[in-house]
Amino acid sequence: MILFTDEFRLFFNDSSLQEIADKCLKISLDAFNVNNGNIPKWTIALDELKAIPKGEIGLNEPYIRIDQNGADPIELERAFKRLLPWRKGPFRFNNLKLESEWQGDFKWKRLQKHISPLKNRRVLDVGAGNGYFTLRMAMEGAKKALGIEPFLLFNYQYAAIKSLVNKDINAMLLPIRLEEMPKLSIFDTVFSMGVLYHQRSHMEHLLQLKDMMVPGAELILETLVVEGPNGYSLIPDGRYAQMRNVHCLPSVETLKSWLVDAKFKNIKVIDISKTSPEEQRRTEWIGDNAASLEDFLDPSDSSLTKEGHPAPTRVIIICNN
Ligand SMILES: C[S@@+](CC[C@H](N)C(=O)[O-])C[C@H]1O[C@@H](n2cnc3c(N)ncnc32)[C@H](O)[C@@H]1O
């Protein structure tokens, strides 16, 4: 069991979050109690890390850095490598650089100057992966930064990082799906980054995000898009860039019209970027022979995926409830 009830109670000890605490705790305990054959290996990693002295967390761009006195880099590396693959990061522990597949700071830099300052806001990070961005949100001074992420390995990765931190950092990651969240409008900022295209119903996802937001709250929505007029979407038949569960890639205009339909206001496109092999790269931290962006593109034309679709391009939109 990696969810510490004390830490949970401390995080949810907040006038608004208290109202959803019991339900979130139950869903999380049920999720952690599943029968997953990897849990013994992941638990060894956590036990090894818990034996290492805790240290200060800070930003040492592009890394989230934790500095501990007396930690052996070989022990750290061995423990963190029990939790492969590391998709999100990068992190640095003393001089050990955990170079994740994604350079998360690229995305953060694209959006940081456009969002309302997170200081003292209650923030929800939907589909948070291992919590790299949730931690960045807490580091920006969020009153509470709650990440929700159903994939258990990523919750273990988060617990591994957190187990090395010497103080409370107003961040928490829980194994909850957005659709399972108790519906209550309590968050001042909601992030949905890299999640919409995984949903069977884009409208349900947008409305579920809205349900969690206080009036006037800010949504930061990042998703894959394609070129095309209003009304156009690509619905891949089979895989997209080797990913199996990509349901729909709208044009930017189509996406904006979905947000209008969901009654979001002040819809602003703040960035459109083609994903580069610098941002998504093959590293030793995703495992031996593991593939990354360059392996998903047509070797003779990098503007196309292997399946012949336009190569990954992502938009970031900011709007208000
Ligand atoms: C592509 S990753 C993006 C991670 C991170 N937000 C980022 O921007 O790098 C999408 C994540 O969303 C999670 N996810 C998918 N559907 C979800 C849902 N309905 N509720 C919460 N998380 C979901 C997946 O497990 C996956 O880890």
Side-chain angles (χ1 to χ4, degrees):
M1 176 58 54
I2 65 164
L3 186 67
F4 303 106
T5 318
D6 290 352
E7 190 191 331
F8 180 92
R9 292 279 172 217
L10 187 66
F11 183 85
F12 277 83
N13 186 11
D14 167 274
S15 53
S16 298
L17 287 177
Q18 261 175 5
E19 297 188 47
I20 60 169
D22 289 347
K23 192 144 182 225
C24 288
L25 184 61
K26 164 135 193 8
I27 298 166
S28 303
L29 291 174
D30 288 349
F32 281 126
N33 276 332
V34 296
N35 203 358
N36 179 319
N38 287 307
I39 287 179
K41 180 174 72 175
W42 298 339
T43 305
I44 292 173
L46 289 190
D47 289 344
E48 287 170 346
L49 290 168
K50 277 183 217 148
I52 289 173
K54 294 177 191 294
E56 284 287 319
I57 188 166
L59 205 55
N60 174 206
E61 289 192 57
Y63 304 97
I64 289 179
R65 179 170 182 161
I66 301 171
D67 278 316
Q68 311 100 320
N69 287 327
D72 177 350
I74 295 170
E75 279 178 28
L76 279 170
E77 180 165 350
R78 191 180 51 220
F80 281 115
K81 286 214 164 144
R82 291 188 200 278
L83 298 167
L84 294 178
W86 285 84
R87 301 278 174 212
K88 307 296 169 179
F91 298 94
R92 183 169 173 170
F93 309 97
N94 298 336
N95 287 327
L96 174 71
K97 292 178 177 171
L98 192 165
E99 299 287 2
S100 51
E101 178 184 15
W102 285 84
Q103 292 254 38
D105 58 305
F106 281 38
K107 191 187 293 191
W108 195 249
K109 282 210 177 77
R110 288 201 285 272
L111 63 84
Q112 192 181 23
K113 55 184 176 292
H114 298 282
I115 63 176
S116 299
L118 297 179
K119 200 159 176 49
N120 289 328
R121 290 170 86 102
R122 294 186 183 91
V123 180
L124 179 66
D125 182 14
V126 175
N130 64 17
Y132 172 84
F133 292 112
T134 319
L135 290 169
R136 298 286 308 242
M137 293 162 200
M139 286 169 158
E140 298 267 329
K143 183 176 189 164
K144 299 283 173 186
L146 174 63
I148 54 171
E149 168 54 56
F151 196 50
L152 267 200
L153 167 63
F154 298 156
N155 283 271
Y156 275 80
Q157 290 182 349
Y158 180 79
I161 291 157
K162 198 88 186 277
S163 71
L164 292 178
V165 179
N166 63 5
K167 62 168 197 269
D168 182 41
I169 45 175
N170 294 336
M172 177 133 228
L173 187 74
L174 295 175
I176 303 180
R177 299 184 158 276
L178 177 61
E179 51 275 32
E180 296 170 327
M181 280 293 278
K183 299 292 170 279
L184 200 61
S185 62
I186 46 180
F187 292 96
D188 306 299
T189 301
V190 171
F191 290 80
S192 164
M193 303 195 294
V195 187
L196 185 69
Y197 54 85
H198 287 310
Q199 310 309 306
R200 284 183 194 284
S201 166
H202 56 265
M203 216 52 203
E204 268 175 36
H205 183 73
L206 295 178
L207 293 173
Q208 284 159 358
L209 293 169
K210 202 163 198 285
D211 280 341
M212 304 309 303
M213 299 168 70
V214 298
E218 191 164 87
L219 171 68
I220 294 95
L221 178 69
E222 192 239 24
T223 194
L224 287 166
V225 285
V226 287
E227 279 184 23
N230 188 7
Y232 180 77
S233 299
L234 168 69
I235 298 177
D237 182 15
R239 295 185 179 210
Y240 172 83
Q242 301 292 292
M243 288 183 278
R244 257 188 230 102
N245 50 354
V246 175
H247 295 289
C248 186
L249 288 75
S251 69
V252 174
E253 290 307 312
T254 302
L255 180 57
K256 281 161 68 181
S257 76
W258 293 350
L259 288 163
V260 170
D261 289 348
K263 305 237 173 334
F264 283 101
K265 293 178 257 181
N266 308 326
I267 299 162
K268 291 186 292 279
V269 174
I270 58 142
D271 184 80
I272 301 177
S273 294
K274 193 170 166 205
T275 305
S276 71
E278 288 75 45
E279 183 170 1
Q280 188 187 9
R281 69 248 161 100
R282 217 181 294 132
T283 78
E284 60 172 304
W285 288 91
I286 56 173
D288 295 338
N289 305 320
S292 189
L293 180 66
E294 283 176 305
D295 308 290
F296 307 149
L297 301 179
D298 180 338
S300 59
D301 181 357
S302 65
S303 70
L304 297 176
T305 67
K306 276 203 162 149
E307 305 83 9
H309 299 304
T313 296
R314 290 171 161 84
V315 71
I316 304 176
I317 291 186
I318 297 185
C319 54
N320 295 99
N321 182 17

